[in-house]
Structures are given as C-alpha cells and as structure tokens.
Amino acid sequence: MVPPWSPLRACAHRVVERRLDFGTQTARRSRALCPPSGSILLGVDLLERLIAVVGEAHVVVGEDAEEFTHDATFMEHPLLAVVRPGSTEEVAAVVGVCHETNTPVVARGSGTSLVGGPVPLAGGVVLSLDRLDHLEIDVANTVAVAGAGVITGQIDEAANAHGLMYPPDPASVGMCSIGGNIACNSGGMRCVKYGVTADYVTGLTVVLADGQVLRLGGKLRKRSSGYRLMQLFIGSEGTLGIVTEATLKLVPLPRFQATAMVGFQTLEEAGAAVARALSRGHFPAAIELMDRNALEMVTHLLPPGFETDLEAVLVVEVDGNNREHVEADLVGMVEVLDGLDDRIAQSPAERARLWEARRRWGEVVRSTPHNYFAEDVAVPIGAIPEMLRRVRKLSEETGIKICTVGHSGDGNLHPSLVFTDEQRPQVSRAAARIFRDALELGGSISAEHGLGALKRDHAELEHGPLAISLMRGLKHLLDPAGILNPHKVLPEGPADDDFLDRQPGWYPDPDRPRRKAETGL
C-alpha cells in the first residue's frame, strides 16, 4: 500500500480522473510531471501495483523524475512515474501491469538518444533499465552476457582484461547502455572494420507488450533453424519489445594500434580521400572526419602540436598484432590519403588525447540541447564528397553553423546544426533538406541513431509505402494496443519542412528549469 503521506499518493491524486490519449499527440510545452487529459485512468491503484512489483524506493515521481522526461535533444514531455526494475521478471511484471491498464510504457537506457527515442510522448510509465547491470565474460565461448543497463564501454573494458574486445563503440561509449545500443542498432568509430551492434548480438531476452518473456539465440555462433526473430528487435527502438539481456560476440583484442591525423584544405577533399584509401585495399580500424567548426570546439583537448587551421581532418587508426606491420600500414594509408598536414601520434598519450577530442565533441554540443540538431545520415562511400559539398552549400546559403563529424569509413556523417534562437525558424527546413539530399544520393536518414520521433515522419521517403505498411503490421501483431514507446519510428505526419515545429520542446519555455547537462552536472 502507498502510505497516505507518500509523494507517490500525492501525484496519483493529481492524475485521478485525468485521462491520456496517446493516439493523437500535439506538441505541448508543459512542465507538469503528471500526464495531461486523455483516455487512460491513472491513479493510486496503478502506482500501488507498480510499487508492489519493484518497491517504493524504485518508483520515482515529481521533481526527481524530471531527468526522465527528456533525452539529449530539446524534446521533453511529462510522465506519470519512473519505474526501475531489477530483473527481467520485474520488467515483465511492470509491462504486464501496463498492458492490463492500457498504460504507455517507454524503456530507457542512459538517455543519450539524439532523436527523442526515450521521451515519453504519451506520458505513462518510463521503464528505466539502469539496474539491469549484471555482466559476465564467458571466455570459453568468447561472449559477454550483459543486462540492458550495462554501460557499453564497461563491456569492452571487461573483455579487454581477458584479451578480448567488444568492437562497437559509439562516441558516447562511456555513457550509453547496451540496451539502448541494441534498440537503435548503434555503430561507432570502429564500424568500418568491425561492424555494428547487430553483427555482435547472438542472444536476446525480450519482454513483449503483454509481459511475456521471449528468449532468442544464445552463446552459439551459427543457427539456421527458422525465422531470424532476434533481428526484428534489434533497431526497433523499444516499439516491438523491451530487451532486458543480451549475449554478445567478442573478438580477439589487437595488441597494437597506430593513429594519425591528416588535414585537408576542404571537406570534399577529405571525403574523396576516404573513398580513395578504401578502394585501394586499406582497411583501417577507424577513419573519423571532423571539420573546422567541430575542431574549434575541442581544440583544447588535442595533443600539443596537433592544432590545425585547415578545413577538415581525418583521424585514422590501424590495429593488429604485429607492431611493424601496423605502423607500416598506417604510413601507407597516410600516403594514399595525401593530405596537406600529416601528424602521427608518437605515444599512447597522444593517441588517447586524439580520441578523447573526437569523443568529447558530442558532450560539448549536448550541453546546449535547445540550440543544436544532430543529423545522422549515411550515403554510399563514393557519394561522401558530394554529400559534404551539399552540407557546406546549405550552411553558406542559410548562415547556420554546421559542424560535421562522422564515421566516414562507412559513409555515416553527422552534420550538426548549431544555431541561435533567431535562426530557429530556419532549422527545420535545413534539416529536412539534409534528409532529402542523403536519400537522393542513395543513402539513409539515420545510420545509427534511429528514427525516434524526430525522423519518423520522413521514414516513408526512404522505405516506401509498402515497407512502412509491413512495419505497421509487425507493430500491430506484437503490440496491438500500441503501448510500447508510442509515437516513435512510424510516420504520423507529413514529411515536410516543418517537422521540427510540431515537436514538443522545439520552442523552449523561457521559464523551464535548466537541465543537469546545461549546468555542467
């Protein structure tokens, strides 16, 4: 029972007789943490049932729940309660309660999404998976078994201690969770050589929309016995089921790495160099692009002597088990890249600082969530120069500062629009133009961030009506009531130039309290 003095009961009384319609969503800039009116009765009974599953200490409401109303974007929306289960069984029980009460439920990892993925746009319950943090390294089978809340970088660190490696490494690898990576099929810097998250998942435990638990795959490497159901949930962004545990393939840890920074006069020249190096048989572990705008934001993090005034750089890394071969491969690749300014890291410390600068760029830009929009397009490798040319032209025409970084070895570019409040009305049109340019070049509007809410309305432009119809059918089959992460992935509005204007939080409330990330916490 919830005691009469409990803040949970106070919140519940505020929402009794309120109803939430999650079939139609309009952009609201409410600061309330209890849902608006609609079609689901929410009150003391629901909260008592949630507490009975996880305990009152693991149900969060009121001001303490504010950090769960948003992700790393501008988007935010009120919620009923945050529930923090500690096991698959508790996740299943919570989802079962939500199923029985027709309450929306949104799974959340670390909240580093850049597309509004874990924002509770229908209110309801946010299911925080941070307590699912168990991790086992099975050396004999060269796999890791990880709860959905394990931070991705911790998996690689634990594997390294046994001479193994978990290769997928998003720039936010020190913050993001493996459950979120699976939900979005995340990539990262080593994708060019090692592949993305889906290439390493061999087993999943998934809680379905009615609370049933589905176990797929395992520690084996090969299977050809039926439909590949596991792949349905990878990249589904929590709309088809909630991943609570994953079995992940590990690979041998390379003994040596060599890293260089190669500078170019223009972005297009850097893009052309990537295509040239790969076409000549070079196979780097990573080849990352950063333009001058991005470099200026992290110059203080670069190793001494690595500052540059060129328009673009490529940070290149080669790995392997023979030091001489690795160093020779790097020198050979630098020669093929043919930049104007070649600098090779001379120590592990210099190498570490190069990569810190690349990774920390995202943290810097995320500190202003209401004044940037992060793109995540992918194009064929040969189209990288043209895509970069179009991005540069867009910036020149609009006056909007665009910082471009990217995993250029697999065609994944992140042109991020950094803008003033006065420029805000232009941003939606500019972002939509980047979507269209990527598609015209045979690419995708999302390479690794997912569609979430921000990109969902443009999904049909990429996939076509038949594919979207099949996706809707899968959604209805696995989640007929539509309670799992509503308003994500599938289009709900026109694929027009005004898509951002329809999203909650795009025009910030001046009275809104600052987020922790905005205050440096």
Side-chain angles (χ1 to χ4, degrees):
M1 294 290 291
V2 182
W5 61 85
S6 170
L8 298 179
R9 179 174 288 276
C11 180
H13 278 305
R14 290 198 297 273
V15 296
V16 169
E17 305 303 335
R18 294 186 180 188
R19 297 173 181 274
L20 172 64
D21 181 0
F22 60 91
T24 59
Q25 174 67 36
T26 58
R28 296 182 176 89
R29 298 196 298 271
S30 171
R31 288 170 52 195
L33 291 175
C34 295
S37 58
S39 65
I40 306 169
L41 187 64
L42 302 170
V44 176
D45 179 65
L46 174 60
L47 289 173
E48 287 183 338
R49 293 181 67 180
L50 296 174
I51 290 169
V53 175
V54 301
E56 185 169 352
H58 301 302
V59 177
V60 184
V61 297
E63 292 183 0
D64 292 339
E66 191 278 334
E67 283 298 305
F68 297 86
T69 65
H70 61 78
D71 59 357
T73 71
F74 61 86
M75 295 190 70
E76 52 195 17
H77 195 279
L79 51 80
L80 170 65
V82 178
V83 181
R84 300 176 59 239
S87 66
T88 294
E89 291 71 26
E90 288 187 355
V91 172
V94 170
V95 174
V97 170
C98 293
H99 170 70
E100 293 171 10
T101 58
N102 202 33
T103 302
V105 57
V106 178
R108 179 185 177 97
S110 299
T112 58
S113 167
L114 293 171
V115 292
V119 178
L121 292 180
V125 170
V126 169
L127 195 64
S128 177
L129 304 178
D130 62 292
R131 293 179 62 215
L132 303 184
D133 58 0
H134 56 282
L135 175 61
E136 170 202 354
I137 303 298
D138 183 340
V139 177
N141 289 305
T142 59
V143 297
V145 180
V150 175
I151 299 302
T152 303
Q154 294 175 352
I155 301 172
D156 190 39
E157 290 175 6
N160 291 172
H162 299 279
L164 299 170
M165 175 174 73
Y166 177 66
D169 65 333
S172 58
V173 67
M175 299 180 288
C176 61
S177 67
I178 189 62
N181 288 180
I182 292 168
C184 297
N185 190 23
S186 300
M189 302 183 189
R190 297 189 292 217
C191 289
V192 59
K193 181 174 182 178
Y194 291 101
V196 298
T197 300
D199 299 315
Y200 290 87
V201 178
T202 66
L204 286 180
T205 300
V206 183
V207 174
L208 300 178
D210 59 0
Q212 292 189 85
V213 178
L214 177 65
R215 291 183 169 84
L216 300 166
K219 296 183 177 182
L220 72 170
R221 294 297 181 96
K222 295 177 67 176
R223 184 192 299 270
S224 180
S225 58
Y227 299 131
R228 302 186 69 181
L229 294 179
M230 190 162 56
Q231 298 299 320
L232 281 178
F233 298 98
I234 302 172
S236 67
E237 303 184 45
T239 63
L240 302 181
I242 297 172
V243 173
T244 60
E245 183 180 86
T247 304
L248 306 164
K249 179 175 65 176
L250 303 175
V251 300
L253 175 67
R255 295 173 58 197
F256 302 104
Q257 297 85 25
T259 310
M261 189 176 85
V262 182
F264 297 86
Q265 189 64 49
T266 68
L267 268 173
E268 294 93 319
E269 289 175 7
V274 172
R276 182 169 61 249
L278 295 177
S279 68
R280 294 188 185 179
H282 288 280
F283 199 28
I287 180 166
E288 293 290 302
L289 173 74
M290 298 185 75
D291 74 357
R292 177 187 282 186
N293 287 336
L295 281 168
E296 287 176 348
M297 300 174 77
V298 293
T299 295
H300 61 290
L301 298 173
L302 291 170
F306 277 73
E307 302 83 0
T308 180
D309 58 359
L310 294 174
E311 287 299 315
V313 301
L314 294 172
V315 181
V316 186
E317 182 159 291
V318 175
D319 63 10
N321 291 322
N322 183 293
R323 184 192 299 273
E324 292 182 358
H325 290 172
V326 168
E327 293 175 351
D329 285 348
L330 179 67
V331 170
M333 186 168 182
V334 168
E335 291 176 352
V336 172
L337 291 172
D338 193 25
L340 295 178
D341 184 10
D342 307 330
R343 310 185 192 193
I344 295 177
Q346 299 299 310
S347 68
E350 285 192 347
R351 173 181 173 268
R353 289 196 62 173
L354 270 177
W355 287 118
E356 181 187 16
R358 170 61 184 91
R359 291 187 187 282
R360 290 280 299 279
W361 178 83
E363 294 179 32
V364 172
V365 76
R366 280 194 295 270
S367 66
T368 57
H370 290 275
N371 291 93
Y372 86 99
F373 181 77
E375 290 276 17
D376 171 45
V377 297
V379 295
I381 293 170
I384 292 175
E386 174 60 18
M387 187 67 211
L388 292 171
R389 186 192 68 79
R390 296 188 184 195
V391 169
R392 176 177 53 78
K393 183 179 179 183
L394 175 64
S395 180
E396 293 171 351
E397 291 177 358
T398 62
I400 296 173
K401 181 178 181 178
I402 300 181
C403 303
T404 300
V405 301
H407 316 307
S408 51
D410 55 14
N412 182 187
L413 302 173
H414 299 300
S416 295
L417 288 71
V418 180
F419 52 91
T420 65
D421 288 337
E422 291 72 25
Q423 291 174 317
R424 187 180 303 275
Q426 304 178 63
V427 174
S428 187
R429 181 182 300 273
R433 179 168 153 183
I434 291 176
F435 291 163
R436 291 192 295 270
D437 283 343
L439 294 177
E440 285 179 12
L441 295 173
S444 171
I445 63 175
S446 182
E448 58 184 6
H449 293 172
L451 295 170
L454 290 183
K455 300 184 179 184
R456 69 182 181 212
D457 293 340
H458 287 77
E460 191 167 317
L461 291 181
E462 177 174 342
H463 297 286
L466 178 58
I468 295 297
S469 176
L470 290 172
M471 292 181 197
R472 293 190 190 278
L474 286 170
K475 171 67 172 175
H476 182 72
L477 176 67
L478 291 169
D479 180 21
I483 66 170
L484 295 181
N485 207 7
H487 307 303
K488 311 295 169 57
V489 179
L490 298 173
E492 296 183 4
D496 59 19
D497 288 347
D498 302 317
F499 73 104
L500 286 177
D501 297 331
R502 295 190 292 270
Q503 298 295 349
W506 176 240
Y507 289 97
D509 181 349
D511 298 323
R512 175 191 56 84
R514 297 180 74 194
R515 299 177 183 176
K516 289 182 179 180
E518 295 174 87
T519 59
L521 298 177

